[in-house]
Each structure stands twice: as structure tokens, then as C-alpha cells.
Amino acid sequence: TPVFSNAMQFLIVNPYWNVPPSIIKKEMLPKLKEDPDYLNKLGYEVLPQNGGGIAVRQPPGERNALGFIKFMFPNEHAVYLHDTPQRNLFARDERAFSHGCVRVDQPFALANVLLSAMGYDEAKLKALIGKGEKTIQLHNRLPVHLTYFTLRVDDEGHIQRFADIYGHDQKLRTALMASSNKMASLR
């Protein structure tokens, strides 16, 4: 998951999952070689593209990798927040299971907060499930800041350490050492 800031603009209820080309190439094509009916068995749609390529998407529904809602802040990384059918993952300590997007534990509660002023509540949102993809524009954009921390201070004042799964800490150490060495050479 990249570190960046943007603004949430809309939600999509019953989203299609347009599988990124990198996932098609690295994960789906090898499985298709083993089983040519692999995508069909999982309910994916294969769509021809101009120029001879293909697009793969997963229709809305209970098995959809994005769950029932995705929260969109369009960005160059194609990263967003979304529901998930894999609710069991929230009980695990390690949660780096995504390809970059961020799973939301209580998506209807978040949507309720974002849309309550527009007349939506959780019941009204859940009533939309299964009725086709629906985009709901936010009246006001919401700032989103995706950050990454490997340390935090708990309520008792103790430092908790977390795995540096992206290697950011080492990059920061290297940059700080280079800066420190440069400053020392200027003295």
C-alpha cells in the first residue's frame, strides 16, 4: 500500500472488481495454464479489449473481492478502501494480504457516517445490495491520508514495534545516514 494523501469523492455499492493487469499476469495466467476453466469456475468475466488484449472483472456479489462497498479517492496507484468477503482476516495480527487497497472492517458503519447527511443510513445502504452497481457522490470531499507506521506508543506509554513489511524503515535510515554524512562533511 503506497503512502499518499488524496480526497474521497464517491462510494460504489455492489462494485465490479476490475482485476489489475499485474494480478492477471502474475496470478491468474499461471492458474489458467493449469485449468483453462479457472476464471469461469470463480465467476469472473473475460472481456476483449481493443488491440487484442483482455480485461478480467468480477461481478458484484457475495464472492466479490471488494465486498459490497468501495470508497473511491481516484489516484495514480488505483488504491481505494473496500469491504471484503474475507471477514476472518480482521482477527489476524498480520494483515498484509492486499495488493495495495485497504480493507475496511465495518464498511456500512463508515458509509453511514459519510452519507448520513445525504439521507442514507445503514439500512438504506444494505437495501441497495444485489441491485446493480450504484455510485453515490459525496457532497463534500473527505481527505484521506494513507500512512505507514512501524512503531506506536500504547495507552501505558510502552513502544510497540511492528514488522516493516515494505522496508520503509531501512530506506529512512539510509537517507538519514546519507544526510548525516553530508552534513558532517560540510563542517
Side-chain angles (χ1 to χ4, degrees):
T1 302
V3 174
F4 70 100
S5 296
N6 208 305
M8 187 180 303
Q9 299 174 24
F10 58 96
L11 282 64
I12 300 176
V13 180
N14 303 311
Y16 278 88
W17 179 40
N18 297 300
V19 182
S22 61
I23 295 175
I24 294 170
K25 183 178 179 182
K26 293 177 188 171
E27 296 177 28
M28 293 181 160
L29 288 179
K31 291 178 182 175
L32 275 170
K33 287 179 184 174
E34 294 174 21
D35 179 5
D37 204 32
Y38 168 74
L39 294 176
N40 256 354
K41 288 177 183 175
L42 295 177
Y44 287 91
E45 299 172 349
V46 178
L47 308 167
Q49 298 292 295
N50 293 335
I54 62 163
V56 177
R57 71 180 186 174
Q58 186 180 35
E62 289 184 19
R63 296 187 331 180
N64 185 288
L66 306 181
F68 295 115
I69 305 176
K70 69 177 178 176
F71 303 83
M72 299 298 297
F73 41 102
N75 58 78
E76 65 191 53
H77 310 287
V79 166
Y80 39 85
L81 306 178
H82 67 82
D83 182 15
T84 180
Q86 296 177 301
R87 310 238 42 92
N88 61 313
L89 296 178
F90 291 110
R92 298 188 60 178
D93 287 336
E94 184 179 308
R95 296 196 187 162
F97 303 107
S98 164
H99 289 91
C101 292
V102 179
R103 289 183 173 97
V104 177
D105 186 18
Q106 297 178 27
F108 287 97
L110 176 59
N112 188 47
V113 169
L114 296 173
L115 300 174
S116 62
M118 297 170 53
Y120 285 89
D121 61 14
E122 196 165 327
K124 185 174 179 179
L125 287 167
K126 285 184 175 178
L128 296 173
I129 301 302
K131 297 183 178 169
E133 192 173 67
K134 177 168 178 60
T135 299
I136 303 171
Q137 297 288 332
L138 297 177
H139 285 169
N140 298 306
R141 292 180 173 200
L142 177 72
V144 175
H145 306 285
L146 295 183
T147 61
Y148 176 82
F149 298 101
T150 57
L151 297 173
R152 89 171 185 100
V153 178
D154 66 19
D155 293 338
E156 289 78 39
H158 300 107
I159 294 177
Q160 293 182 323
R161 297 180 191 283
F162 300 95
D164 183 16
I165 59 173
Y166 299 119
H168 289 321
D169 288 351
Q170 183 57 47
K171 291 175 190 169
L172 181 59
R173 273 191 287 282
T174 301
L176 288 171
M177 289 301 294
S179 177
S180 176
N181 292 339
K182 187 175 182 180
M183 292 301 290
S185 69
L186 294 175
R187 290 184 191 158

